[in-house]
Amino acid sequence: MQVVKYAFQQHGDDRGMLVALEEYYDIPFEIKRIYYMYDTKEEVHRGFHAHKNLEQILICIHGSCKVRLDNGTEQKIVLLEKPYEGLYIPNDMWREMYDFSPDAVLMVLASDYYREEDYIRNYDEFLNFIREKSNDR
Ligand code: TYD
């Protein structure tokens, strides 16, 4: 399972650092939505879903957190701890976010608006969905 983690270009000078993200140049999709999580309580795990038709890039712009990715056959754990790192999550990928540091701000760039119909929130349903999809191929 290939994990795509971008290292965005940093513009640093003696004042500090700056990262600029441009649609299609730095982010491989049209950005239709941005949301972010903060003040996440200790021990909380979030996510527990996959999307049928949604691409996302997760950036922990402050603090750190971990993301467990699961494509139905393999799992990978990714640590996000730099404000210039972006984890790309394609369709059909189960994700869980956890181990948030108390100061963590996890920002998500998404390729579509919020649509509850696009979510698969049950893990067995997720496995069935990807199995059926690979049988159709
Ligand atoms: P939720 O789906 O529980 O977050 P996660 O599964 O990623 O931990 O979302 C929490 C609430 O926020 C829920 O009531 C739906 C709402 N929400 C929106 O209104 N728009 C959004 O883009 C997102 C991601 C969530």
Side-chain angles (χ1 to χ4, degrees), residues 4 15 21 24 33 37 44 50 53 57 61 68 71 76 81 83 98 100 109 128 130:
V4 179
R15 297 169 298 172
L21 301 176
Y24 299 131
R33 176 167 53 114
M37 283 154 258
V44 161
N53 196 10
I57 287 190
I61 53 174
R68 186 196 314 277
N71 67 2
K76 284 263 164 79
E81 56 175 350
Y98 61 103
F100 287 86
L109 313 182
N128 286 337
I130 51 177

Side-chain angles (χ1 to χ4, degrees), residues 33 35 37 46-49 97 114 119 121:
R33 176 167 53 114
Y35 62 94
M37 283 154 258
R46 301 197 64 138
F48 296 96
H49 63 256
M97 293 84 80
Y114 178 75
Y119 279 74
R121 292 192 183 272

Side-chain angles (χ1 to χ4, degrees), residues 110-129:
S111 66
D112 207 350
Y113 301 112
Y114 178 75
R115 290 188 306 115
E116 189 55 42
E117 319 86 80
D118 192 65
Y119 279 74
I120 306 173
R121 292 192 183 272
N122 176 288
Y123 188 72
D124 290 332
E125 237 174 73
F126 165 66
L127 293 180
N128 286 337
F129 180 81

Side-chain angles (χ1 to χ4, degrees), residues 72-86:
T73 47
E74 270 184 87
Q75 294 198 357
K76 284 263 164 79
I77 291 171
V78 182
L79 172 67
L80 293 177
E81 56 175 350
K82 307 279 188 210
Y84 56 83
E85 289 175 341

Side-chain angles (χ1 to χ4, degrees), residues 35-41 43-49 66-68 94-100 106 121:
Y35 62 94
Y36 43 93
M37 283 154 258
Y38 56 97
D39 277 353
T40 308
K41 305 291 174 271
E43 309 299 328
V44 161
H45 288 225
R46 301 197 64 138
F48 296 96
H49 63 256
K66 287 185 188 142
V67 185
R68 186 196 314 277
W94 189 264
R95 86 286 314 268
E96 296 169 20
M97 293 84 80
Y98 61 103
D99 271 3
F100 287 86
L106 180 62
R121 292 192 183 272

